[in-house]
Amino acid sequence: MEDLADNSAISKDDPILIYYAGHGAETDPPDHRWATSSENRKVQMLLPHDFVKNPERSEGIRGQGILDMTISKILSTIAENKSNNITVIFDCCHSGSGTRATDGLTVRGVDLPTNYVVPANLLEHPQSTGLRSHVLLAACERGRQAFENQVHGLFTEELLSLLKKEDINRLSYKDIIMRIRHLPSQAPQCEGVYSDRIIFTAENKPRPAVFDIKPIPGMSNQFTFDSAGQAHGVTIGDKFAVHSNKHLNSLIGYVVVSKTTSFSSECFAEVPLPIFGVAYAVQVSTLRLFIDRKDPSYARLVQSIGPLLANTSRHSVQLVDAGKGQDLSMSMYNGRVQFGIGNEICRQYGLTDMPYDVAVDDTDKVLSILRCASDFYSRLDLNHPNKGNSLKGKVHVGCHKLIARTTEDLGTFLDREEANLNKEGLIDIGDDLGDDTPYGFTISNSLNLPLYVALFYFDMSDLSIVQYYHPPTANNEKVDVPLPPRCSLPIGYGDGGWDAQKYTLRENQTIDVGFLKLYVSTKYIDYSSICQSSPFHNGHARATGIFEMRPKEVWSTMIIPIVQGKCSG
């Protein structure tokens, strides 16, 4: 695998496929300071054919397993040298033994001796860039078993069958996991920041969250969402556009939410809709926008946003008066449209305007920004109180500076400082900014319930929504539980696989404010559609980014006395 990074036969941006079928295992981390997210505090490893259970009987790294953190670091090097168009398929598991099951299937896992210790020299690899270097398709959940028959692994067999009959030019990694035939003994997983990409390409397949909508029997123009409720961000009064197919290109009409529960909703249509089976609904995002009527450019600004005022698409704009809860304001200076920030917390700290402007004549750009802003503020949703407060005080988010620690063999990893920067719900980074200061997060669960969590950063200055953590994707909601009972999830350090973050100010800013939004649920919910890029061009610097740890530079001198002649005394 390491040789792929320097392989001259692989050009920049070429797709790379890494496939492993075999055994895996779990063991204790090689350093007690390694933070783990698993309930049993184990780390996973692959077992090559020459694996030796007793490390003392092996020579160097030959005969040893390959730790998941080591694989991640190797993949990061490959991605840096080639591209992150890397597909990793693991048809193995990390628990159980390789004994024959009663139904003729074999478990692809090995039990290690209780006294097995990972050799320290397995850590000699550079820092990982986490789940941005590749997309992983795994045969089963962490700690569960993957099975094989006499010929293939069950996952491999079903994967090949799916790829043969599907149009792979339109198939994303998530699509594979959702469409693969149900395996009763295991639940395949998809994990990676770019899991929405078309397979073997760098082409994203972004789409909004789509919900199934069905008529309520015996109720005229009344409908139900079985999988869209308060936990999905749905509130009473929300509007949805209804389409006859999942491609969202055949609009039937609109419905309005009238009742919500944690995971479902009811809605009504003001005019009859021809829905007799299942249709597909997507939420309409509405931006509350203030334009001063006294502004000499008022008419021109309103004209530029005309298509969004018509309220006939997935995005709309509602003009509001000053102080009436506006998300943004618009004004014009020297032919340039400027955007003011309405959020009171931002304004309290001095962030009153977005640091970008656009030409008023560039209508397409103005509309693009406002569509992005409507999604941004609908997803941030600061104006609705959190009714799911049964978890309040039971789940905690810590923010920490990270420091580089070095093992005896110079293997370097990030660990958190003890100080928690989250003080009463506010994280103040202060002036400790730049490329040399990494930050990580710890989500702690004090309940006896397993929880699913997702963490996003909302950048108020450029309207981007960045994924800090999201669990894998699996069919039938059989997803690895990221936050087991009374456990913690490390983000940016430890075995979590997600990136450490850095924070900087843009050249024309002295203050910046963003929001972390944590989604918590006892059921798996796919929140990945929340992410979005900034509508402003790529030439602008971002205020948050991925921290990349440079190799540690070490030097020393030694002084050794040499005594000649006969020692007196």
Side-chain angles (χ1 to χ4, degrees):
M1 273 179 62
E2 290 178 318
D3 292 341
L4 294 175
D6 299 312
N7 190 325
S8 59
I10 302 175
S11 300
K12 192 74 171 175
D13 299 324
D14 277 354
I16 297 173
L17 171 63
I18 298 172
Y19 174 83
Y20 173 81
H23 292 301
E26 289 186 321
T27 187
D28 294 322
D31 189 293
H32 72 277
R33 293 170 296 187
W34 265 95
T36 62
S37 55
S38 59
E39 194 169 3
N40 61 6
R41 291 195 52 77
K42 300 287 187 181
V43 294
Q44 287 75 46
M45 62 194 304
L46 302 182
L47 305 183
H49 69 92
D50 60 351
F51 176 73
V52 178
K53 291 186 178 181
N54 184 352
E56 296 178 357
R57 298 172 62 180
S58 64
E59 299 178 2
I61 62 173
R62 284 190 61 83
Q64 284 310 305
I66 308 173
L67 296 174
D68 55 357
M69 61 194 80
T70 301
I71 295 171
S72 179
K73 292 172 182 178
I74 294 173
L75 290 171
S76 295
T77 302
I78 299 173
E80 183 179 350
N81 288 5
K82 301 300 181 181
S83 77
N84 57 18
N85 186 9
I86 302 174
T87 305
V88 179
I89 303 174
F90 285 165
D91 193 349
C92 64
C93 64
H94 301 97
S95 67
S97 63
T99 56
R100 185 76 49 187
T102 56
D103 55 2
L105 302 176
T106 300
V107 178
R108 288 187 153 176
V110 171
D111 288 325
L112 296 180
T114 56
N115 61 349
Y116 179 83
V117 177
V118 176
N121 58 6
L122 291 189
L123 295 180
E124 296 177 349
H125 292 287
Q127 175 69 10
S128 165
T129 57
L131 292 168
R132 297 181 187 275
S133 63
H134 64 286
V135 176
L136 170 66
L137 298 177
C140 64
E141 303 156 88
R142 179 177 57 193
R144 299 298 178 93
Q145 296 174 332
F147 293 85
E148 62 183 22
N149 54 31
Q150 299 294 329
V151 182
H152 298 293
L154 299 188
F155 173 59
T156 297
E157 196 167 66
E158 293 303 325
L159 177 62
L160 291 174
S161 175
L162 178 73
L163 294 179
K164 288 176 181 177
K165 65 183 181 182
E166 294 280 352
D167 179 4
I168 64 171
N169 295 316
R170 301 182 61 181
L171 195 67
S172 73
Y173 293 99
K174 278 188 178 178
D175 290 336
I176 290 175
I177 292 300
M178 299 307 292
R179 297 180 190 179
I180 201 166
R181 190 175 70 88
H182 175 62
L183 298 174
S185 55
Q186 61 196 80
Q189 310 278 301
C190 173
E191 192 169 12
V193 173
Y194 304 114
S195 55
D196 280 320
R197 282 180 175 176
I198 303 299
I199 61 171
F200 310 135
T201 75
E203 178 188 349
N204 276 332
K205 188 184 178 182
R207 60 178 301 173
V210 180
F211 303 103
D212 292 358
I213 181 172
K214 303 176 183 177
I216 299 177
M219 305 274 294
S220 176
N221 288 331
Q222 301 288 315
F223 305 91
T224 180
F225 297 117
D226 290 333
S227 58
Q230 296 165 4
H232 301 77
V234 178
T235 60
I236 293 175
D238 284 352
K239 186 177 181 180
F240 283 78
V242 181
H243 295 259
S244 62
N245 61 49
K246 285 188 175 181
H247 298 297
L248 306 180
N249 56 11
S250 55
L251 181 66
I252 298 174
Y254 296 90
V255 294
V256 178
V257 175
S258 57
K259 180 181 177 180
T260 62
T261 66
S262 295
F263 301 105
S264 64
S265 302
E266 293 181 7
C267 54
F268 68 92
E270 294 180 349
V271 297
L273 298 183
I275 302 177
F276 306 103
V278 178
Y280 306 95
V282 60
Q283 195 165 10
V284 175
S285 300
T286 300
L287 178 72
R288 294 177 295 274
L289 182 68
F290 168 66
I291 303 176
D292 191 347
R293 294 179 181 274
K294 298 178 181 179
D295 189 328
S297 306
Y298 176 81
R300 189 172 184 185
L301 289 170
V302 171
Q303 183 182 12
S304 70
I305 64 172
L308 296 180
L309 292 172
N311 200 21
T312 57
S313 67
R314 196 174 70 80
H315 302 91
S316 66
V317 165
Q318 176 187 357
L319 292 178
V320 298
D321 294 330
K324 298 297 183 180
Q326 73 262 27
D327 300 313
L328 289 181
S329 63
M330 278 179 62
S331 59
M332 191 173 75
Y333 180 74
N334 286 340
R336 309 283 296 181
V337 177
Q338 299 176 327
F339 302 92
I341 297 174
N343 178 263
E344 289 300 325
I345 295 177
C346 292
R347 300 185 71 84
Q348 174 186 340
Y349 284 92
L351 182 65
T352 58
D353 298 289
M354 298 179 69
Y356 313 110
D357 56 26
V358 295
V360 69
D361 295 331
D362 193 348
T363 304
D364 289 342
K365 187 68 174 180
V366 172
L367 292 176
S368 173
I369 292 169
L370 294 182
R371 290 189 189 100
C372 191
S374 70
D375 282 336
F376 181 92
Y377 284 98
S378 294
R379 293 163 184 171
L380 183 56
D381 198 20
L382 292 175
N383 294 311
H384 288 94
N386 177 21
K387 295 181 179 179
N389 57 9
S390 59
L391 298 178
K392 188 175 182 180
K394 306 297 183 181
V395 177
H396 304 275
V397 179
C399 175
H400 310 270
K401 286 184 185 179
L402 302 181
I403 55 176
R405 298 193 187 279
T406 304
T407 60
E408 293 180 357
D409 66 333
L410 303 184
T412 302
F413 61 92
L414 289 174
D415 192 14
R416 75 177 205 186
E417 292 185 355
E418 286 300 320
N420 182 4
L421 301 179
N422 185 357
K423 306 294 185 183
E424 299 182 354
L426 177 69
I427 299 172
D428 188 352
I429 298 295
D431 294 329
D432 212 347
L433 307 169
D435 293 341
D436 296 325
T437 308
Y439 292 87
F441 301 89
T442 306
I443 305 175
S444 301
N445 177 13
S446 61
L447 293 169
N448 290 320
L449 292 172
L451 297 175
Y452 295 91
V453 296
L455 184 65
F456 297 87
Y457 178 78
F458 288 72
D459 191 322
M460 300 296 287
S461 289
D462 71 2
L463 301 176
S464 64
I465 306 175
V466 182
Q467 186 173 258
Y468 277 10
Y469 174 81
H470 195 283
T473 299
N475 205 348
N476 298 318
E477 301 180 357
K478 293 184 177 180
V479 177
D480 279 336
V481 175
L483 197 53
R486 299 195 175 277
C487 288
S488 296
L489 172 67
I491 300 174
Y493 68 103
D495 74 341
W498 290 77
D499 301 303
Q501 300 295 321
K502 62 182 181 181
Y503 299 91
T504 57
L505 289 173
R506 298 169 179 86
E507 289 184 3
N508 55 345
Q509 283 187 305
T510 58
I511 190 72
D512 198 12
V513 180
F515 288 91
L516 285 179
K517 186 167 184 177
L518 176 69
Y519 294 83
V520 185
S521 174
T522 53
K523 291 178 62 176
Y524 169 74
I525 297 174
D526 185 356
Y527 290 110
S528 60
S529 61
I530 288 173
C531 294
Q532 68 179 31
S533 301
S534 171
F536 301 99
H537 63 76
N538 295 330
H540 292 293
R542 284 180 51 199
T544 179
I546 303 165
F547 172 79
E548 297 181 7
M549 187 165 68
R550 293 184 288 271
K552 188 175 182 65
E553 297 178 342
V554 178
W555 70 276
S556 180
T557 62
M558 294 184 182
I559 300 177
I560 303 173
I562 298 178
V563 179
Q564 302 179 74
K566 187 176 181 179
C567 179
S568 61

